[in-house]
Amino acid sequence: MPPNTTASSGQQSGKSGRKKGRKVRLLLIVLVLALIGGVGFGAFWSISTVRASFPQTKGSITLEGLSGPVDVKRDGYGIPQIYASSDADLFMAQGYVQAQDRFYEMDVRRHMTAGRLSEMFGEGQIDNDEFLRTLGWHRVAEEEYKSTISAETKKYLDAYAKGVNAYLAGKDGEEISLEYAALGFANDYRPEEWTPIDSLAWLKAMAWDLRGNMQDEIDRALMTSRLGPKQIADLYPQYPYDRNKAIVQEGAYDELTQTWTDGSGTSQSAGGSTQGTGGTGTGGAGTNTGGTGTGTGTGGTGTGTGTAGASSDSSAVQTQLGGLYEVLEDLPEAVGVNGNGIGSNSWVVSGSHTITGKPLLANDPHLSASLPSVWYQMGLHCKSVSQKCQYDVAGYTFAGMPGVVIGHNQDISWGMTNSGVDVTDLYLEKLTGDGYQYGSKVLPFESREETIQVAGGSDKKIVVRTTNNGPLLSDRSSELVQVGKKAGVDRDAPDRGDGYGISLRWTALEPGTTMDAVFAMNKAADWNGFRKAAALFDVPSQNLIYADTKGHIGYQLPGKIPTRGKGDGSVPAPGWDTRYRWNGWIDQDELPYEYDPDRGYIVTANQAVVDEKYPYTLTTDWGYGTRAQRITSLIESKIKGGGKISTEDMRQMQMDNSSEIAKLLVPLLLKIDVKDKHIREAQKLLEGWDYTQDADSAAAAYFNSVWRNILKLAFGNKLPKELRVKGQCLSVEPVDSTGPADEDRRVRECGKRDADQAQPDGGDRWFEVVRRIIDDQDNAWWSTPALRNQDAADTRDELFARAMRDARWELTAKLGKDIDTWSWGRLHRLFLKNQTLGTEGPGLVKYLLNRGPWKLGGGEGTVNATGWNAAGGYEVVWVPSMRMIVNLGDLDKSKWINVTGASGHAYNAHYTDQTGKWAKGELLTWSFSDKAVQESTSDTLLLKP
């Protein structure tokens, strides 16, 4: 057998053994949880065990280390508002209160970020730990604490950790969380003290979830096994600037530097010392040729240059990158859906267009649904704001981290969406002995040994190797050890020898100041203070929107964003070629912003930040602006109709379920002459449909099934197996082709990706792909071979007819023959899963810890972005993880909601008490002033020194 086949088999064998060990432990956990849940005997003991970990929310508790009394006021949903007289006391109390509600979640997160999950869950997590140790998040956080964050931030982190540890002091595991009762029975696990590094490291996990185009970079390279450059370009079309506007339309650099556009189309070059970059390949794919070809510039000045064969059509590269993807998608669900489909909505409307005469600001970040939610709502209030106690802020934060990430203080409000800026690059590395080639030299690896401790098993030692680009990810999978053994590269590439490795350059792997930014933003009082805070927000790069009580609105793109000497980051680059190195960062003064634009509103929904005139390449892979344009249309329709926008209008916009792709396709679907009466019956559902994807809509159910089948027939069946759904097998041609297959040459290939990670996922990139070819009846993508006794399709309408037929019988199987009983919500369901014990294992564990389903409206590309993966099915894979609307005219009239509840305790009243309202689009009153908080308080806890 070839060496890589043997290695792969060994890896699978090891995984199999670890899974057997994991099942044994899960069976033990089931026994404990069965008792805890009152199954069989032991019901009395189970109730006391469940309640043992519930937080004390009334009376008083003495905490050593406080300098004065602290009040913790909780409303009817268990959301805490903390009142203290010093910064240190405020953040110490925050640590204590979050540990009360969420310590198990915090503990799992810190073990994940440190690559120590095996200590909690045993050998089944070794692969994840190896990968996370290689990334080295915890090590970077340690360096941040030592060298880059301010003394004030260190003080706050120390105080927070002191509060967490005050909660842990003297408690056994079962007094902290139900899950510890199970884990303690299975492997004698005991939680350890919290550290400031644990808080900092979680920022790296969130940065990973929002890391940019790394997945597109992998996918484009994988596509080369079956598709040519033109076909790949078809699947990554250029951003439609003529239809979907960029975020910044009236913006500039800092006032002291040059403007790239004055709103009239005049383009000017940038000042500053940072080197500019060339343009990008057409659709991000022009470089994907295995040579040095030139692509059309779309994101900067000049012409983009190919990647010197960084991608190729060889099976070796596909195997290596496929192996990398498998490592990425196997990471814990706590890290999210690994960058696929992640987006968010935010927008701000100035007072000239609102009924209050002051701005309204809305935000709903889109993340994978976890239980408990990644967000934790709270208020942090100084009893008297002064130099000694500087904070009066409320909003959403992460359990395990001090401060507030998104929200408002007494003067300003801010929201965030993912900018999509490209801050990750994969590099092919020529490995030679104990080093790697860089230019004409062989440089030694930076190496370190890591020891992974394994619950119920033996320790495992690994060696982490790092190049001048970053950690060598290929060391973490046996499928990646000999990268590029047969890779097609250009004539100047070094001899492949034992193969090429894959390394990662990522801004988050360098110490930063994002934690400083959080505190600076929390106490900013105006636009200048906000921008100064944003300058510290280096990773992840987010779209930051702003509003203040004086009536101003704004936008700022922050972040440490690289400039590249050569290449555009769209595909893996040759690490040995010195021209592909990052050569600097875009200066903060040259990052785009807007302040009080004449149009009176700013919308950010993952669309392009800037137009083509901006002199730096931020990314080749923007979101395509479907949601942003819909939000803009809703705002403009209200304004042009002479109306003023209210908080309720903003809420209704957040819940908008309109399908833009349906508006394009349904008129064409209705023109198709359908002979079969059953399919015609389904087709009639689309007649008169208003394209709204409500949960009870039968038309939405049928259309989305048709859309899914169109994507599968036109594109999905033509993608390489590394991108298709695991276990779905096809008879395919062994060479790239979008036309009818030659039966004599077909081979059987089975997909390799999990259902919620596969392509085509149906997001707005695929909307744009279809839109570009929709008027071309004979486009090659519409051609598909005969399947399941159906004739081959050669035109668009023939393929659409097949998709309508397939959708009819798919929904008949899923929802029944009677179309009157069909509804989108029956297909499109949300299940909330406990982030550890609820994600795998026997059904009883899931039953006890998980919740759902909820039938949802919305979908991909809608403002109410309840994401689903069209390649894999209809169930919800990511959601608006929270929703908020801030009223700058009266902060106490602001609204908010979380996808779950405040508590992480499975049987606590606040475990999922917000979910039902969230699913209906309802919002809770968000009290902020002392008077409003007091009126909404249900429980008060006094923390005494």
Side-chain angles (χ1 to χ4, degrees):
M1 285 186 177
N4 62 333
T5 304
T6 303
S8 178
S9 298
Q11 183 187 42
Q12 293 302 320
S13 177
K15 286 186 177 180
S16 177
R18 288 193 288 273
K19 287 181 179 178
K20 289 179 181 177
R22 182 164 48 192
K23 288 180 179 178
V24 171
R25 286 188 298 280
L26 285 169
L27 288 174
L28 293 174
I29 292 169
V30 170
L31 295 177
V32 176
L33 290 177
L35 293 177
I36 292 172
V39 179
F41 58 89
F44 177 80
W45 174 77
S46 71
I47 293 172
S48 64
T49 302
V50 168
R51 291 179 176 173
S53 60
F54 287 4
Q56 179 182 340
T57 59
K58 296 181 179 179
S60 63
I61 298 174
T62 299
L63 293 189
E64 184 177 346
L66 284 177
S67 63
V70 177
D71 296 315
V72 181
K73 301 178 180 182
R74 293 179 183 261
D75 67 11
Y77 288 88
I79 299 171
Q81 304 276 349
I82 300 175
Y83 292 82
S85 298
S86 73
D87 290 340
D89 284 355
L90 188 66
F91 295 117
M92 181 178 176
Q94 183 182 16
Y96 185 89
V97 170
Q98 286 194 340
Q100 280 187 306
D101 284 333
R102 300 278 194 94
F103 183 77
Y104 176 73
E105 173 195 7
M106 293 163 58
D107 200 15
V108 170
R109 284 180 177 177
R110 64 151 161 197
H111 278 79
M112 180 190 67
T113 58
R116 296 173 52 202
L117 287 167
S118 299
E119 294 179 21
M120 295 185 74
F121 304 108
E123 58 190 1
Q125 293 296 329
I126 289 177
D127 290 344
N128 287 328
D129 283 347
E130 288 183 2
F131 186 76
L132 292 165
R133 294 285 183 99
T134 299
L135 288 175
W137 293 344
H138 201 266
R139 293 172 61 86
V140 179
E142 287 177 342
E143 186 61 32
E144 286 184 353
Y145 185 79
K146 292 176 184 176
S147 64
T148 61
I149 62 173
S150 69
E152 184 178 61
T153 295
K154 286 183 184 178
K155 181 180 74 172
Y156 297 159
L157 289 166
D158 291 343
Y160 181 90
K162 185 188 296 184
V164 175
N165 293 328
Y167 169 75
L168 295 176
K171 288 184 174 65
D172 293 327
E174 61 267 20
E175 297 176 90
I176 299 171
S177 179
L178 175 63
E179 288 90 341
Y180 288 122
L183 286 175
F185 182 85
N187 59 24
D188 296 322
Y189 174 81
R190 294 290 184 273
E192 62 191 31
E193 286 197 339
W194 192 262
T195 73
I197 312 302
D198 296 329
S199 295
L200 284 172
W202 182 241
L203 285 173
K204 304 301 176 187
M206 292 309 299
W208 177 258
D209 214 21
L210 303 169
R211 62 190 179 273
N213 77 334
M214 181 174 165
Q215 194 52 62
D216 289 317
E217 193 174 337
I218 293 172
D219 284 358
R220 269 190 291 264
L222 289 171
M223 285 180 184
T224 59
S225 68
R226 300 202 63 80
L227 304 176
K230 170 62 170 64
Q231 293 163 322
I232 294 172
D234 286 347
L235 302 186
Y236 287 89
Q238 294 181 21
Y239 186 86
Y241 288 104
D242 58 335
R243 188 174 65 256
N244 296 342
K245 299 297 184 183
I247 295 171
V248 177
Q249 300 171 39
E250 305 170 32
Y253 299 154
D254 189 90
E255 289 84 349
L256 299 179
T257 63
Q258 293 171 295
T259 302
W260 87 82
T261 178
D262 60 7
S264 63
T266 302
S267 177
Q268 298 177 331
S269 62
S273 60
T274 309
Q275 181 177 342
T277 69
T280 67
T282 303
T287 61
N288 205 351
T289 63
T292 59
T294 300
T296 303
T298 63
T301 58
T303 57
T305 306
T307 60
S311 61
S312 83
D313 59 356
S314 78
S315 61
V317 167
Q318 315 313 312
T319 300
Q320 322 316 349
L321 289 170
L324 172 59
Y325 187 90
E326 289 174 4
V327 173
L328 298 181
E329 74 172 354
D330 204 34
L331 288 178
E333 204 162 292
V335 187
V337 293
N338 300 320
N340 289 346
I342 290 293
S344 300
N345 300 322
S346 71
W347 64 95
V348 60
V349 181
S350 72
S352 61
H353 298 312
T354 69
I355 62 173
T356 65
K358 290 292 177 71
L360 293 171
L361 185 151
N363 196 189
D364 55 285
H366 307 156
L367 297 168
S368 60
S370 60
L371 183 59
S373 167
V374 69
W375 298 109
Y376 184 93
Q377 299 153 281
M378 71 187 320
L380 301 171
H381 308 277
C382 290
K383 294 178 180 178
S384 177
V385 177
S386 65
Q387 192 59 36
K388 178 183 178 183
C389 196
Q390 305 173 72
Y391 295 87
D392 188 18
V393 62
Y396 297 84
T397 189
F398 305 130
M401 200 183 89
V404 169
V405 176
I406 294 174
H408 70 81
N409 59 29
Q410 67 272 34
D411 298 308
I412 75 167
S413 179
W414 66 95
M416 299 182 190
T417 64
N418 191 18
S419 70
V421 169
D422 184 5
V423 295
T424 59
D425 279 352
L426 294 173
Y427 285 87
L428 295 180
E429 304 283 2
K430 163 59 179 172
L431 310 182
T432 303
D434 293 328
Y436 59 97
Q437 183 170 332
Y438 182 64
S440 61
K441 299 179 181 179
V442 175
L443 303 181
F445 295 111
E446 290 184 20
S447 299
R448 67 179 187 270
E449 186 175 84
E450 300 263 358
T451 300
I452 298 173
Q453 297 178 351
V454 183
S458 301
D459 293 353
K460 181 172 183 180
K461 294 184 182 296
I462 65 169
V463 174
V464 176
R465 300 188 295 175
T466 301
T467 74
N468 59 5
N469 288 312
L472 203 60
L473 301 187
S474 50
D475 281 353
R476 297 286 70 89
S477 168
S478 56
E479 291 182 319
L480 293 172
V481 171
Q482 299 179 351
V483 176
K485 203 158 202 179
K486 299 180 180 178
V489 292
D490 70 16
R491 68 186 66 178
D492 298 323
D495 180 77
R496 58 178 59 93
D498 291 334
Y500 300 130
I502 296 178
S503 64
L504 171 67
R505 184 81 191 267
W506 178 32
T507 53
L509 298 184
E510 300 180 20
T513 55
T514 299
M515 197 71 245
D516 288 339
V518 170
F519 293 118
M521 209 166 289
N522 283 190
K523 58 186 179 184
D526 55 26
W527 172 244
N528 289 333
F530 176 77
R531 288 194 75 197
K532 288 179 181 177
L536 299 169
F537 202 104
D538 47 17
V539 178
S541 177
Q542 297 286 282
N543 296 311
L544 299 178
I545 60 165
Y546 167 92
D548 62 37
T549 55
K550 293 181 180 178
H552 301 292
I553 66 173
Y555 164 86
Q556 177 69 55
L557 177 71
K560 184 182 286 186
I561 302 171
T563 60
R564 298 167 175 86
K566 190 176 182 183
D568 58 17
S570 62
V571 292
W576 54 82
D577 190 332
T578 60
R579 296 171 297 175
Y580 286 85
R581 289 280 290 171
W582 291 3
N583 56 23
W585 314 103
I586 300 176
D587 190 84
Q588 289 293 324
D589 289 338
E590 296 178 308
L591 292 174
Y593 77 90
E594 278 195 334
Y595 184 60
D596 287 339
D598 290 341
R599 65 187 181 278
Y601 62 86
I602 302 170
V603 175
T604 86
N606 317 116
Q607 77 271 40
V609 171
V610 292
D611 63 21
E612 307 100 312
K613 300 181 184 69
Y614 186 68
Y616 302 112
T617 298
L618 297 177
T619 185
T620 62
D621 293 298
W622 300 116
Y624 283 82
T626 304
R627 283 179 285 110
Q629 190 56 42
R630 175 61 179 172
I631 295 166
T632 298
S633 298
L634 291 170
I635 294 171
E636 289 185 343
S637 65
K638 187 77 174 182
I639 293 172
K640 292 177 180 178
K644 296 287 186 177
I645 295 173
S646 67
T647 300
E648 174 60 16
D649 292 328
M650 299 283 273
R651 185 197 70 81
Q652 290 184 16
M653 291 178 193
Q654 285 183 329
M655 294 306 297
D656 182 76
N657 287 329
S658 178
S659 170
E660 297 303 300
I661 192 63
K663 293 176 184 177
L664 178 69
L665 294 184
V666 166
L668 301 176
L669 295 173
L670 289 175
K671 291 179 180 179
I672 295 175
D673 184 14
V674 175
K675 304 298 185 184
D676 186 299
K677 66 177 183 180
H678 300 290
I679 302 171
R680 172 62 185 144
E681 182 183 31
Q683 184 187 37
K684 290 178 67 175
L685 290 172
L686 304 178
E687 295 177 358
W689 180 43
D690 63 358
Y691 314 120
T692 299
Q693 300 173 102
D694 292 335
D696 60 359
S697 171
Y702 182 59
F703 172 76
N704 281 312
S705 182
V706 173
W707 169 236
R708 176 175 185 247
N709 281 280
I710 286 173
L711 291 172
K712 180 167 64 173
L713 292 170
F715 310 104
N717 292 347
K718 299 161 188 173
L719 296 177
K721 59 183 180 295
E722 290 86 359
L723 275 67
R724 299 201 314 267
V725 176
K726 188 180 299 180
Q728 290 186 5
C729 302
L730 293 171
S731 176
V732 299
E733 279 194 285
V735 294
D736 55 287
S737 174
T738 58
D742 180 348
E743 292 297 331
D744 294 335
R745 304 179 62 231
R746 299 178 75 83
V747 295
R748 185 171 175 79
E749 285 187 354
C750 298
K752 290 192 169 185
R753 284 204 179 165
D754 286 346
D756 61 357
Q757 304 282 317
Q759 292 292 340
D761 60 20
D764 70 348
R765 173 164 68 89
W766 294 99
F767 292 8
E768 190 64 23
V769 168
V770 170
R771 187 188 296 273
R772 297 289 177 100
I773 65 172
I774 196 67
D775 293 326
D776 183 2
Q777 270 274 9
D778 299 316
N779 190 283
W781 289 107
W782 302 131
S783 179
T784 190
L787 292 172
R788 296 195 304 274
N789 298 319
Q790 295 189 60
D791 293 335
D794 295 318
T795 66
R796 181 197 70 193
D797 285 353
E798 288 176 0
L799 184 140
F800 281 10
R802 278 186 52 175
M804 292 171 70
R805 171 191 164 135
D806 290 351
R808 172 44 160 142
W809 301 125
E810 180 185 10
L811 294 197
T812 297
K814 291 179 180 295
L815 303 179
K817 294 180 180 180
D818 185 358
I819 64 172
D820 291 336
T821 66
W822 291 2
S823 71
W824 177 223
R826 288 181 62 196
L827 289 173
H828 193 53
R829 301 177 300 170
L830 171 66
F831 291 85
L832 291 174
K833 298 178 182 179
N834 179 282
Q835 63 178 311
T836 55
L837 303 181
T839 58
E840 64 174 291
L844 182 56
V845 175
K846 298 176 182 178
Y847 174 78
L848 293 171
L849 296 180
N850 297 344
R851 299 292 183 269
W854 285 268
K855 299 176 180 179
L856 300 185
E860 289 278 351
T862 63
V863 182
N864 181 22
T866 54
W868 56 287
N869 187 298
Y874 303 97
E875 289 189 359
V876 177
V877 296
W878 48 270
V879 296
S881 54
M882 62 80 158
R883 298 186 183 101
M884 75 174 194
I885 301 170
V886 180
N887 184 331
L888 277 302
D890 185 345
L891 293 170
D892 287 329
K893 292 183 179 178
S894 301
K895 303 288 185 179
W896 63 352
I897 197 80
N898 205 349
V899 69
T900 64
S903 179
H905 300 287
Y907 292 95
N908 188 277
H910 304 306
Y911 192 45
T912 56
D913 59 338
Q914 296 184 53
T915 310
K917 290 182 177 294
W918 171 91
K920 296 175 183 176
E922 298 176 13
L923 298 171
L924 305 178
T925 298
W926 182 353
S927 300
F928 181 72
S929 70
D930 293 351
K931 180 176 182 293
V933 169
Q934 188 58 43
E935 289 175 352
S936 64
T937 295
S938 294
D939 295 348
T940 300
L941 175 67
L942 175 64
L943 302 178
K944 302 186 300 183

